[in-house]
Amino acid sequence: AQSVTQPDIHITVSEGASLELRCNYSYGATPYLFWYVQSPGQGLQLLLKYFSGDTLVQGIKGFEAEFKRSQSSFNLRKPSVHWSDAAEYFCAVGLLKAAGNKLTFGGGTRVLVKP
Amino acid sequence: EPEVTQTPSHQVTQMGQEVILRCVPISNHLYFYWYRQILGQKVEFLVSFYNNEISEKSEIFDDQFSVERPDGSNFTLKIRSTKLEDSAMYFCASQKTTSTDTQYFGPGTRLTVL
């Protein structure tokens, strides 16, 4: 069965500094990988996704992620963090079936942004 | 931009009572999901629904749970006899197709079972 690990439960970063969130997955086949963000009181919003092709994926809000098959990782990065990036971030792996895309989520990383 | 909506935002119920959580998926989407997140734990898949039937369910989704699309717009999750351990945030999601399309999530319903 697939699984996702996000080693960092909390990360605190200063506004303007760079951010990297780690994600490791376990999956027997080529994974479909996702990063979602959840702001307080909001649903999960997709930041970016990887299915195939270029291993560096660009997303919304200035985020990018790099798929590294050799390390089973899909880390999320942002060069310069804004106060509005304070939220919880979830990495997920998708299992594509004919009648649905079950997502398996990591435990999430809560990002706090210091002024 | 179209969005998934869920009602109510917070539901409090007594143990043993039935609850129905409601979702309105995005209108042209064909695939529907329920996930839940117990406080402090991971978001977990419950069930997927396509073409008016369940396509996959997790081991959590036992006989106490059911889903329905009673009309062309709503998608509901029913818990027949709630337990304390059903207390969680429940998220509905919808997806246009199952290729590379995004699953769009609603804001969630927080269920508290007393």
Side-chain angles (χ1 to χ4, degrees):
Chain A
Q2 64 269 32
S3 66
V4 180
T5 302
Q6 294 180 245
D8 304 303
I9 298 174
H10 290 104
I11 283 182
T12 300
V13 61
S14 297
E15 193 168 13
S18 64
L19 174 69
E20 181 166 12
L21 304 182
R22 296 183 289 164
C23 172
N24 293 99
Y25 66 90
S26 172
Y27 189 58
T30 300
Y32 299 97
L33 294 159
F34 306 82
W35 275 99
Y36 281 85
V37 61
Q38 184 182 29
S39 299
Q42 304 293 314
L44 297 162
Q45 181 185 23
L46 182 73
L47 286 175
L48 47 78
K49 58 189 178 185
Y50 171 78
F51 289 93
S52 64
D54 193 346
T55 56
L56 186 62
V57 181
Q58 301 297 319
I60 63 170
K61 305 185 181 189
F63 285 93
E64 65 178 27
E66 186 170 13
F67 170 60
K68 292 186 177 179
R69 185 187 300 276
S70 61
Q71 297 177 20
S72 298
S73 70
F74 188 57
N75 293 349
L76 181 72
R77 298 192 293 254
K78 185 167 183 177
S80 177
V81 166
H82 186 261
W83 64 265
S84 59
D85 294 322
E88 187 150 24
Y89 293 80
F90 294 93
C91 181
V93 62
L95 180 62
L96 179 62
K97 292 186 173 181
N101 254 36
K102 168 185 170 180
L103 295 182
T104 299
F105 285 85
T109 299
R110 185 168 298 278
V111 173
L112 302 174
V113 180
K114 294 190 301 185
Chain B
E1 184 178 319
E3 57 183 23
V4 177
T5 59
Q6 291 185 243
T7 54
S9 56
H10 191 190
Q11 172 105 39
V12 181
T13 190
Q14 296 291 323
M15 190 169 55
Q17 295 297 303
E18 174 184 288
V19 294
I20 297 176
L21 309 183
R22 291 184 165 80
C23 169
V24 179
I26 295 172
S27 63
N28 60 349
H29 285 193
L30 301 177
Y31 298 84
F32 312 107
Y33 306 84
W34 285 101
Y35 294 81
R36 78 172 186 190
Q37 185 180 30
I38 295 171
L39 191 63
Q41 297 186 23
K42 295 184 178 185
V43 176
E44 303 171 288
F45 168 82
L46 291 178
V47 66
S48 58
F49 190 86
Y50 168 70
N51 200 26
N52 272 322
E53 60 183 25
I54 290 173
S55 48
E56 186 177 2
K57 59 184 181 180
S58 71
E59 58 272 15
I60 302 167
F61 195 90
D62 61 22
D63 292 345
Q64 292 300 311
F65 290 88
S66 62
V67 289
E68 193 178 32
R69 190 154 160 82
D71 52 41
S73 59
N74 291 283
F75 179 51
T76 62
L77 174 69
K78 182 193 290 186
I79 309 175
R80 263 178 267 283
S81 177
T82 50
K83 306 182 184 69
L84 295 176
E85 55 264 35
D86 294 327
S87 294
M89 181 73 89
Y90 288 80
F91 294 105
C92 173
S94 71
Q95 185 177 24
K96 194 171 182 181
T97 73
T98 61
S99 59
T100 58
D101 280 350
T102 299
Q103 280 188 37
Y104 291 88
F105 284 76
T109 292
R110 179 163 297 285
L111 176 65
T112 302
V113 182
L114 302 176

